[in-house]
Amino acid sequence: MIDLFSGLDAWVLVSLLLALTFVLAFEFINGFHDTANAVATVIYTKAMPPHLAVFFSGVFNFLGVLLGGVGVAYAIVHLLPVELLINVNTGHGLAMVFSLLAAAIAWNLGTWYFGIPASSSHTLIGSILGVGLANALINDIPLADGVNWQKAVDIAASLVFSPMAGFLVAALVLIGLKWWRPLSKMHKTPEQRRKIDDKKHPPFWNRLVLVMSAMAMSFVHGSNDGQKGIGLIMLVLIGIVPAQFVLDLNSTTYQIERTRDATLHLSQFYQRNADSLGEFLALGKSVEGDLPEKFRCNPQQTEPTIAALLHTLKGVADYHSLPSESRIEVRRYLLCLDDTAKKVAKLPGLPAREKADLDKLRKDLTTTTEYAPFWVILAVALALGLGTMIGWKRVVLTIGEKIGKQGMTYAQGMSAQITAASMIGLANIFSLPVSTTHVLSSGVAGTMVANKSGLQSGTVRTILLAWVLTLPATVALSAGLFWLASKALGS
């Protein structure tokens, strides 16, 4: 790892270390917000002592990050338009990274201070959108092109519908438990258990389910929210030291061959469907200024891009052998080909079987660009775990006592946790970021309604207000910071 940063100018190295510190600080604060939710129920119900709960939560968070892949990480990254991702330079990368991180950290700290279970996912996404929109305004790019709106819509849908589903499913699970075992001790609150039964802990089976679902929550949280930190760090590394991180330098010869073969098969795919795609891709026509210096992705430059990529990769068995500028060019070619392939897949008239083939080709194309070094994964996992251990108390109190008009029962805790773990796990399968905070909070609220416990309107109003304000506030904050940073760099 150390050799990757050798030879950097002192100011670049300092900027890089500062940016990485900012990302890890964001993940640390994320622990206050979201990871605390993973242990809130198990601590409140006294199923586990706090120190054991946060320790094992940290372990399962680590495993979640380690085994979760990078699908969610790059879903976050690709909120930015491809043009902003391919035109990498150190100054621009610094402005982008520090603006979105400063906005995200400021909002997260503010909401944590007031004990509001605000969403780190909303915070991060709002900050990224703000940078993309500000970049469009500064460079006279249409706002419609300033953000990858299709990806933004997909992510927005997952963020909006997952809490609604959490509310409904958790309520139904609780209703099922009450119908199945109406007189069970699992329907008592910890306070009632202590007063009536003179017992501190939940009944054995309830305790086991609470503990297991809490660890499942920690695992899926790590594999979802932890990936957001991974995506941020990759943005930092690619933006500040592109030569070392635009491609996975540890790619095997087989992986490089796989990329080259995918490029060749993509060309054959387009020729095979020339009748329906010829006009959109300008197949067989020369395009003036095939590969301009200020690179912009253009579907009509697909053929020259494929030719340039195949020429650059000819005979390459190790990315280390490519000059720094060639690595940056290869990534540009790959991202643009992937971007065009996404647009082609949405065109009418392409058979479903061909679309499936195109999707497989896209995965092979991005094999060596969508990655994360192990040390990045490890650093994010540690930051999340430490944040949990230090900042969990405020959110535990809100989740356990301030959403409903009475304390949470064991059955409610189980229903909310099982639902949240299932929802987040499902989102991981489809590489969609969701908010642990909102899924669990809405699940708890759903059980309160199903239990006829009532909701504390003040707390619910505050959570909803944070939910509504987070996106516009972070968009405005990060956009303003990016504009100031760009002006300072340009002056």
Side-chain angles (χ1 to χ4, degrees), residues 53-234:
V54 295
F55 172 76
F56 282 107
S57 177
V59 170
F60 280 89
N61 263 294
F62 172 80
L63 292 174
V65 178
L66 190 66
L67 303 174
V70 294
V72 174
Y74 282 92
I76 291 289
V77 169
H78 288 301
L79 273 172
L80 295 171
V82 68
E83 284 79 12
L84 192 56
L85 293 174
I86 62 177
N87 290 304
V88 292
N89 67 73
T90 300
H92 193 265
L94 283 171
M96 176 178 69
V97 165
F98 282 116
S99 300
L100 68 91
L101 286 176
I105 288 172
W107 185 259
N108 263 1
L109 274 178
T111 51
W112 166 80
Y113 179 79
F114 292 104
I116 302 170
S119 168
S120 295
S121 301
H122 282 73
T123 301
L124 176 58
I125 289 165
S127 299
I128 291 176
L129 292 178
V131 165
L133 293 173
N135 179 73
L137 290 172
I138 291 169
N139 294 291
D140 295 322
I141 299 171
L143 288 181
D145 298 329
V147 170
N148 184 344
W149 289 109
Q150 182 56 56
K151 179 62 70 175
V153 168
D154 292 343
I155 290 175
S158 71
L159 289 172
V160 169
F161 289 115
S162 56
M164 295 180 182
F167 181 97
L168 180 62
V169 174
L172 291 174
V173 171
L174 181 67
I175 290 170
L177 289 175
K178 294 188 79 169
W179 172 81
W180 178 50
R181 300 287 299 276
L183 302 178
S184 172
K185 294 177 181 178
M186 65 180 167
H187 299 299
K188 293 180 179 178
T189 67
E191 184 66 19
Q192 290 170 339
R193 172 80 165 159
R194 188 183 64 80
K195 286 184 177 179
I196 299 172
D197 300 334
D198 197 25
K199 298 260 179 96
K200 182 179 180 181
H201 302 295
F204 175 78
W205 289 110
N206 302 147
R207 188 176 186 181
L208 182 64
V209 172
L210 283 165
V211 170
M212 291 179 66
S213 59
M215 296 307 105
M217 271 277 292
S218 296
F219 182 86
V220 296
H221 174 267
S223 59
N224 195 281
D225 270 41
Q227 286 192 55
K228 296 163 192 169
I230 292 171
L232 277 177
I233 289 185
M234 294 312 295

Side-chain angles (χ1 to χ4, degrees), residues 4-5 16 19-20 23-24 27 69-78 80 84-85 88-89 93-94 96-97 100-101 124 128 226-250 331 335 366-380:
L4 294 174
F5 306 113
L16 175 61
L20 292 176
V23 176
L24 294 176
E27 283 302 311
V70 294
V72 174
Y74 282 92
I76 291 289
V77 169
H78 288 301
L80 295 171
L84 192 56
L85 293 174
V88 292
N89 67 73
L94 283 171
M96 176 178 69
V97 165
L100 68 91
L101 286 176
L124 176 58
I128 291 176
Q227 286 192 55
K228 296 163 192 169
I230 292 171
L232 277 177
I233 289 185
M234 294 312 295
L235 271 180
V236 167
L237 296 174
I238 292 169
I240 299 177
V241 280
Q244 302 291 352
F245 292 98
V246 287
L247 298 173
D248 183 2
L249 296 183
N250 292 319
R331 179 174 180 270
L335 289 187
T366 55
T367 297
T368 59
T369 60
E370 296 190 356
Y371 76 102
F374 179 73
W375 66 266
V376 171
I377 297 172
L378 181 62
V380 169

Side-chain angles (χ1 to χ4, degrees), residues 241-399:
V241 280
Q244 302 291 352
F245 292 98
V246 287
L247 298 173
D248 183 2
L249 296 183
N250 292 319
S251 297
T252 63
T253 302
Y254 168 76
Q255 288 173 313
I256 297 173
E257 288 285 350
R258 184 178 164 193
T259 301
R260 188 162 40 229
D261 289 345
T263 307
L264 186 60
H265 288 308
L266 186 67
S267 177
Q268 295 169 351
F269 175 91
Y270 290 147
Q271 294 301 327
R272 189 167 67 245
N273 293 277
D275 290 344
S276 57
L277 302 177
E279 184 177 349
F280 180 72
L281 299 176
L283 297 177
K285 301 175 183 178
S286 60
V287 179
E288 187 177 350
D290 286 341
L291 299 171
E293 184 178 347
K294 185 172 178 60
F295 202 94
R296 292 289 302 274
C297 291
N298 180 356
Q300 295 190 334
Q301 292 175 329
T302 296
E303 281 190 314
T305 303
I306 288 175
L309 178 59
L310 290 173
H311 175 75
T312 306
L313 291 181
K314 186 177 181 180
V316 174
D318 187 342
Y319 280 143
H320 286 93
S321 65
L322 283 176
S324 298
E325 190 56 39
S326 295
R327 296 174 196 167
I328 294 173
E329 290 301 319
V330 166
R331 179 174 180 270
R332 287 177 174 176
Y333 300 153
L334 289 170
L335 289 187
C336 280
L337 290 176
D338 180 58
D339 186 64
T340 297
K342 279 190 286 189
K343 294 174 181 175
V344 167
K346 295 171 186 173
L347 294 175
L350 200 63
R353 182 175 178 178
E354 293 288 77
K355 289 183 179 181
D357 285 347
L358 190 59
D359 187 54
K360 292 174 184 175
L361 286 174
R362 284 186 54 217
K363 289 178 181 177
D364 286 342
L365 275 176
T366 55
T367 297
T368 59
T369 60
E370 296 190 356
Y371 76 102
F374 179 73
W375 66 266
V376 171
I377 297 172
L378 181 62
V380 169
L382 289 174
L384 268 176
L386 289 173
T388 306
M389 293 177 190
I390 292 175
W392 56 270
K393 288 187 179 179
R394 290 175 183 265
V395 177
V396 168
L397 184 62
T398 300
I399 294 294

